[in-house]
Amino acid sequence: MHRVGSTGNTNNSSRPRKEKRLTYVFSDSDDTKHCAGVNCLAILKSSVSNGPDYLFTGSRDGTLKRWALAEDAATCSATFESHVDWVNDAVIVGDRTLVSCSSDTTLKTWDALSDGACTKTLSQHSDYVTCLAAAEKNSNIVASGGLGGEVLIWNLEASIAPISKFHDAMDDDCSNGVNGLGNSLITTGFHTISSNSNLSAPTSQCQGYIPIAAKGHKESVYALAMNEGGTLLVSGGTEKVVRVWDPRSGSKTMKLRGHTDNIRALLLDSTGRFCLSGSSDSMIRLWDLGQQRCVHSYAVHTDSVWALASSPSFSHVYSGGRDLSLYLTDLQTRESLLLGTGEDPILQLALRDNSIWVASTNSSVHRWPAEGHHPQKIFQRGNSFLAGNLAFSRARVSLEGSAPAPVYKKPTLTITGTAGIMQHEVLNNRRHVLTKDTAGSVKLWEITRGVVIKDYGKVSFEEIKEELFEMVSIPAWFTVDSKLGSLSIHMDTPQCFSAEMYSADLNIANKPEDDKVNLARETLKGLMAHWLARRKQRVGSHTNGEIVPGKDTSTRSLMHSRMDVDCSTENDAMVYPPFEFSIVSPPSVITEGTRGGPWRKKITDLDGTEDEKDLPSWCLDCVLNNRLPARENNKCNFILQPLEGSTVRINTQGKLSAPRILRIHKVINYVIEKLVLDKTLDNTNAEGSFTSGPALGDGSFRSGLKSWPKLKPSIEILCNNQVLSPEMSLATVRAYIWKKTDDLTLNYRVVQGR
């Protein structure tokens, strides 16, 4: 799993500062649908008589969506976008607060009835945050657990209160605090950022809020549950035990053993006496916390149990998991029914009245009949079986071919998602990426515009990849992954500025064909065009592209000392057509500045207020000041000499040097020019010729052309005795023909009779 963003250098460290990454994520044409598996569900009941209930879905695409529920429809009414990695769990707290957690190690709070604005970010976990639990009757308490083994209990009201006492100027000057887990904490605005940095600051307590830590887990935590009043918390994970805590103090109450594998789901009844657990050992267990023992075991599933939901009276449990099946079990009589089967493993369940919503590794969400208030009615249909006590009992029945028939053949409603990308290949031209999605469709994307330029349909990915192969060599200026179900393009400085192309190859009109275009710079200009326009509206044209005065300039001053102004193009904000991003389906930017940690936002939602505290300094310097960082040499050294046996020679001494993107036809023109000049000027040193170690620039071939005779010699350039296409670049010849680490050697010869 990739990590978005990076940790900045500390005051006491002598290591070079690692620059922040900028990522942009492509958006599907239908932004109201998830494009990756749905990890979590949450139901918000309407507070008015005729108002709709809402279903919240959190996805592996990094977003949450709100759905207004009707009898036969679910309409997407908002997208909540700020997490930069998978959303793993979500809960409703109080009347309208949505809390989510993510693999980006943060918790975020949202106004559930808003248009998707994040109200707070909390970041004290050391690893992915996997699960949440809320107290229904205490609107301030939320617990979180993660892969780092932490279980943290948050008071949401207290976590924001101290911040209001301080101005933004305090953000960068907060002293260290320790949360009891050994992690130093930097509190900045509404963001509490976990850090391993050793900042030179007083040892007094930071003004930020520190949650209660329930210490005891030595391994990853995957499941949490809390009773209504917030006085009891249970947790489970890879240690195979259920731990019971007092969330008010974080103290351990008891430890319950019985499962033989990872505990993936937990439920508590309203009183806090009974607990249900589901495990990767395929078992469901009912625990009496008063007696501190397991009172029933239910062998219902044939594989891992990943999701549980109980009836309001806690008399029945709905369960799902890796076996693709949804079961209903009577906890007292041990009767079980197979309600339905799907095509994907079930990740979470949410009961609403007489139906149950099912989330899975698929991007779609399904609603099944459930009879939530009277589940015993379903058992009157028959086909029930008695749940065994041993895990292998259900597996054995399945192998013998007597698996139960499902009560329902299909769901009553489906919220359809889009197919996520499961395979991708960056093409050699470094502008196109070929993808294959979960539906089998193969598409070709242009990453400098964020659009699909060809949909091949359901065809062989390998055949299309072979068909699109080009013998061309361009530096890898970005990396890509499809972890979020769509393409994420990562740009890291200075590597991202290594790729250039001629404007003629990009078909840019009204621009000299020999002008070099830096792909990363133009892509950044396209991504930040809306931000730049809004920024100019805010600060006015008098700033002349400089960063707004009054901000911290120390970072910028240091940055400029390491930058070189690229003078090959004028300093303007013009976005060329090959770099224009869609405003209908705009990509989202994931990045970070000097505070607050990584964030995600659509490029059309950038309002121009973002500055060096929010965006990487190198990105700002490129877009505002046309400055690029110092890069590795983009020249190609080569030796040009006549082919063995050729009687034609030109006067060159030593190595030649030219841009890697230089075409072979330019070298041909150079040889012709030298031949003509050497003949007409009696081998004297003429304009356009050079001595040892010259730089062969794009304009070197234009000199002396007026003195060419009507009949010019026809020249071929060879490498390793292979005639080169005039359209090949020096980099391509070196990569595919020369294939050696030493300097490239090119041979020329005159072709007779042409």
Side-chain angles (χ1 to χ4, degrees):
M1 294 183 176
H2 70 274
R3 298 287 192 187
V4 180
S6 56
T7 303
N9 193 27
T10 68
N11 291 344
N12 297 331
S13 174
S14 60
R15 292 181 299 174
R17 180 170 61 93
K18 185 176 181 182
E19 297 285 0
K20 309 298 184 182
R21 161 180 284 184
L22 186 136
T23 297
Y24 58 100
V25 183
F26 293 162
S27 176
D28 191 86
S29 56
D30 188 352
D31 194 39
T32 64
K33 298 180 179 180
H34 286 300
C35 64
V38 178
N39 283 338
C40 55
L41 304 168
I43 298 285
L44 177 61
K45 294 282 188 177
S46 174
S47 57
V48 295
S49 58
N50 295 326
D53 290 348
Y54 291 108
L55 171 70
F56 294 86
T57 55
S59 171
R60 295 177 178 182
D61 63 16
T63 69
L64 298 104
K65 294 186 184 295
R66 183 183 68 217
W67 307 86
L69 301 180
E71 185 64 31
D72 55 355
T75 306
C76 181
S77 56
T79 295
F80 299 79
E81 183 176 16
S82 183
H83 283 297
V84 302
D85 210 331
W86 288 10
V87 177
N88 294 322
D89 203 0
V91 293
I92 299 294
V93 181
D95 294 331
R96 55 184 295 166
T97 300
L98 175 68
V99 182
S100 60
C101 68
S102 166
S103 295
D104 64 13
T105 75
T106 71
L107 282 74
K108 291 183 183 287
T109 65
W110 320 75
D111 181 345
L113 301 181
S114 72
D115 58 357
C118 176
T119 56
K120 185 166 39 178
T121 298
L122 299 167
S123 231
Q124 295 187 17
H125 279 272
S126 64
D127 209 331
Y128 297 175
V129 191
T130 55
C131 51
L132 298 171
E136 290 185 18
K137 293 184 178 180
N138 189 331
S139 60
N140 290 324
I141 304 301
V142 173
S144 60
L147 298 190
E150 304 104 334
V151 174
L152 304 178
I153 300 98
W154 306 81
N155 185 313
L156 297 182
E157 185 176 298
S159 68
I160 194 173
I163 306 300
S164 61
K165 301 176 183 178
F166 302 96
H167 299 295
D168 289 342
M170 295 291 293
D171 290 350
D172 299 323
D173 300 320
C174 185
S175 59
N176 284 1
V178 178
N179 68 349
L181 298 172
N183 296 327
S184 59
L185 305 170
I186 309 169
T187 305
T188 57
F190 292 112
H191 302 266
T192 310
I193 307 303
S194 178
S195 172
N196 293 322
S197 303
N198 296 317
L199 302 180
S200 55
T203 58
S204 61
Q205 182 70 22
C206 180
Q207 291 89 350
Y209 168 77
I210 298 176
I212 297 172
K215 305 174 189 176
H217 279 285
K218 300 178 180 64
E219 298 178 17
S220 300
V221 178
Y222 278 92
L224 292 172
M226 193 181 294
N227 68 338
E228 286 186 350
T231 59
L232 194 67
L233 175 70
V234 291
S235 62
T238 54
E239 294 172 280
K240 311 169 191 175
V241 298
V242 177
R243 295 181 184 269
V244 185
W245 314 84
D246 182 345
R248 295 164 293 187
S249 63
S251 59
K252 289 184 285 187
T253 304
M254 67 185 80
K255 188 188 323 185
L256 304 172
R257 301 182 183 274
H259 283 295
T260 59
D261 207 337
N262 186 11
I263 296 173
R264 294 294 301 268
L266 289 168
L267 292 177
L268 276 174
D269 74 338
S270 57
T271 65
R273 177 180 177 181
F274 293 104
C275 172
L276 278 167
S277 59
S279 168
S280 295
D281 62 12
S282 79
M283 295 295 292
I284 300 172
R285 291 182 179 270
L286 178 64
W287 308 84
D288 187 322
L289 301 187
Q291 300 180 26
Q292 299 189 22
R293 69 184 184 93
C294 175
V295 292
H296 285 296
S297 298
Y298 306 91
V300 176
H301 290 268
T302 60
D303 209 330
S304 301
V305 180
W306 289 349
L308 297 174
S310 71
S311 60
S313 62
F314 214 74
S315 60
H316 295 73
V317 63
Y318 302 85
S319 58
R322 194 173 179 180
D323 59 5
L324 322 181
S325 302
L326 174 64
Y327 285 95
L328 171 63
T329 302
D330 187 319
L331 297 177
Q332 184 173 358
T333 66
R334 306 181 62 85
E335 275 190 290
S336 291
L337 276 172
L338 175 62
L339 293 182
T341 57
E343 299 179 353
D344 305 282
I346 295 172
L347 298 176
Q348 202 166 77
L349 304 171
L351 189 66
R352 175 180 175 260
D353 299 331
N354 290 321
S355 61
I356 188 166
W357 289 95
V358 178
S360 70
T361 55
N362 189 280
S363 58
S364 298
V365 179
H366 304 286
R367 185 186 71 186
W368 292 82
E371 294 291 346
H373 295 294
H374 304 285
Q376 64 273 15
K377 290 183 179 180
I378 304 179
F379 286 93
Q380 298 172 6
R381 296 170 175 261
N383 289 330
S384 64
F385 63 92
L386 196 63
N389 288 310
L390 302 176
F392 64 81
S393 60
R394 281 288 297 117
R396 184 179 59 195
V397 169
S398 179
L399 291 173
E400 292 172 354
S402 56
V407 176
Y408 304 107
K409 300 299 182 183
K410 60 182 181 179
T412 56
L413 182 63
T414 295
I415 300 175
T416 307
T418 59
I421 295 173
M422 55 180 288
Q423 187 178 2
H424 64 270
E425 184 77 19
V426 180
L427 302 189
N428 288 346
N429 61 19
R430 303 294 174 183
R431 291 175 58 223
H432 297 156
V433 176
L434 189 68
T435 64
K436 181 179 181 180
D437 61 30
T438 52
S441 293
V442 176
K443 298 177 182 178
L444 185 65
W445 293 78
E446 185 169 14
I447 64 111
T448 56
R449 292 194 298 140
V451 296
V452 174
I453 55 177
K454 188 164 185 180
D455 187 344
Y456 294 92
K458 296 181 179 180
V459 296
S460 169
F461 181 85
E462 295 300 324
E463 288 181 5
I464 299 298
K465 184 175 75 171
E466 185 176 344
E467 176 186 317
L468 294 176
F469 174 80
E470 294 179 85
M471 190 181 291
V472 59
S473 178
I474 295 177
W477 61 280
F478 64 89
T479 56
V480 61
D481 71 53
S482 53
K483 178 187 175 183
L484 301 180
S486 54
L487 289 180
S488 296
I489 309 299
H490 309 292
M491 298 172 64
D492 295 285
T493 188
Q495 303 94 315
C496 65
F497 295 107
S498 62
E500 295 178 327
M501 293 181 68
Y502 288 118
S503 60
D505 297 326
L506 294 167
N507 298 317
I508 299 177
N510 301 321
K511 189 173 177 65
E513 64 177 18
D514 286 338
D515 275 5
K516 293 192 289 289
V517 176
N518 189 288
L519 298 183
R521 175 174 53 198
E522 300 306 320
T523 299
L524 283 174
K525 286 166 58 179
L527 287 170
M528 304 301 290
H530 186 272
W531 169 83
L532 188 59
R534 294 296 301 273
R535 182 180 182 278
K536 287 182 176 180
Q537 292 174 5
R538 287 177 175 273
V539 303
S541 58
H542 64 277
T543 58
N544 293 323
E546 292 297 326
I547 295 176
V548 181
K551 301 290 185 179
D552 179 18
T553 59
S554 58
T555 301
R556 186 172 74 252
S557 300
L558 174 63
M559 173 184 61
H560 283 190
S561 69
R562 296 181 285 111
M563 298 284 181
D564 294 324
V565 178
D566 190 328
C567 299
S568 62
T569 62
E570 64 280 2
N571 181 10
D572 61 47
M574 178 183 293
V575 177
Y576 299 114
F579 304 94
E580 291 179 342
F581 288 88
S582 169
I583 60 173
V584 177
S585 301
S588 299
V589 170
I590 296 176
T591 190
E592 62 178 312
T594 58
R595 71 168 186 185
W599 52 271
R600 171 175 171 169
K601 189 180 286 188
K602 289 197 178 301
I603 60 173
T604 50
D605 290 336
L606 299 174
D607 59 11
T609 61
E610 298 84 5
D611 56 18
E612 65 268 23
K613 292 184 178 181
D614 309 298
L615 293 163
S617 56
W618 59 269
C619 173
L620 288 172
D621 220 38
C622 173
V623 175
L624 293 177
N625 303 320
N626 205 35
R627 292 179 181 267
L628 302 188
R631 293 155 284 163
E632 63 180 25
N633 184 18
N634 64 353
K635 300 285 186 178
C636 178
N637 296 328
F638 65 99
I639 300 170
L640 184 62
Q641 59 190 26
L643 188 66
E644 185 177 356
S646 175
T647 58
V648 178
R649 294 177 179 273
I650 61 175
N651 291 331
T652 61
Q653 299 176 6
K655 299 176 185 177
L656 307 180
S657 178
R660 292 178 299 192
I661 62 175
L662 193 79
R663 302 292 188 187
I664 292 300
H665 73 78
K666 295 281 190 177
V667 181
I668 292 174
N669 288 349
Y670 173 76
V671 174
I672 293 174
E673 178 182 349
K674 292 292 290 183
L675 283 173
V676 173
L677 286 176
D678 288 349
K679 182 175 181 180
T680 58
L681 302 177
D682 296 324
N683 294 324
T684 60
N685 225 7
E687 180 187 1
S689 63
F690 43 80
T691 56
S692 178
L696 199 59
D698 300 329
S700 302
F701 309 105
R702 301 191 182 103
S703 57
L705 297 183
K706 293 181 180 179
S707 60
W708 283 7
K710 293 182 179 179
L711 294 177
K712 297 184 289 290
S714 181
I715 299 296
E716 285 181 339
I717 303 296
L718 300 88
C719 179
N720 283 343
N721 293 317
Q722 180 175 333
V723 177
L724 303 179
S725 165
E727 297 307 312
M728 278 187 173
S729 68
L730 292 178
T732 300
V733 174
R734 185 178 185 88
Y736 292 99
I737 310 298
W738 183 241
K739 299 180 182 178
K740 298 176 186 177
T741 57
D742 48 349
D743 288 333
L744 173 66
T745 298
L746 299 179
N747 303 111
Y748 59 88
R749 70 182 179 191
V750 175
V751 182
Q752 302 298 329
R754 289 172 58 183

